Amino acid sequence: MTANFGYFPGRRCRVVKPENILFHDNLQEFGYRASILSNLATGGKLSLEDAFDKIEQLWEKLSYSKQELGIGESSNRGRRGTEDP
């Protein structure tokens, strides 16, 4: 049996769009910041209510970026490996 290192079957046909890359970066930033806030709340350095409020603000910012970038709109959808008309 041979190993196919570096072979990602789900990614070979995907069309890479700049707006998807930007949203992915925003999503990673959301996760990173939400993790920090969660850890601060768990450690008692931040109240649970404050952590929740800040995570909610981050979520709203992420939702706004998704809307502004047009992620998930019907004109942005297509089958893997095909470009939208």
Side-chain angles (χ1 to χ4, degrees), residues 3-14 80:
N4 289 326
F5 294 108
Y7 174 70
F8 304 102
R11 296 188 182 236
R12 64 187 159 114
C13 294
R14 225 174 250 177
R80 281 188 173 179

Side-chain angles (χ1 to χ4, degrees), residues 17 19-20 23 63-77 84:
K17 297 179 182 180
E19 59 270 19
N20 291 343
F23 182 71
S63 296
Y64 179 76
S65 77
K66 179 183 175 188
Q67 181 182 13
E68 288 297 307
L69 293 169
I71 304 296
E73 293 179 357
S74 60
S75 63
N76 199 21
R77 290 186 183 164
D84 295 337

Side-chain angles (χ1 to χ4, degrees), residues 41-69:
T42 300
K45 301 287 184 182
L46 187 66
S47 73
L48 293 176
E49 292 82 14
D50 287 342
F52 180 82
D53 289 341
K54 290 180 188 294
I55 291 172
E56 190 173 39
Q57 289 172 3
L58 290 172
W59 180 257
E60 289 172 4
K61 183 179 172 185
L62 180 66
S63 296
Y64 179 76
S65 77
K66 179 183 175 188
Q67 181 182 13
E68 288 297 307
L69 293 169

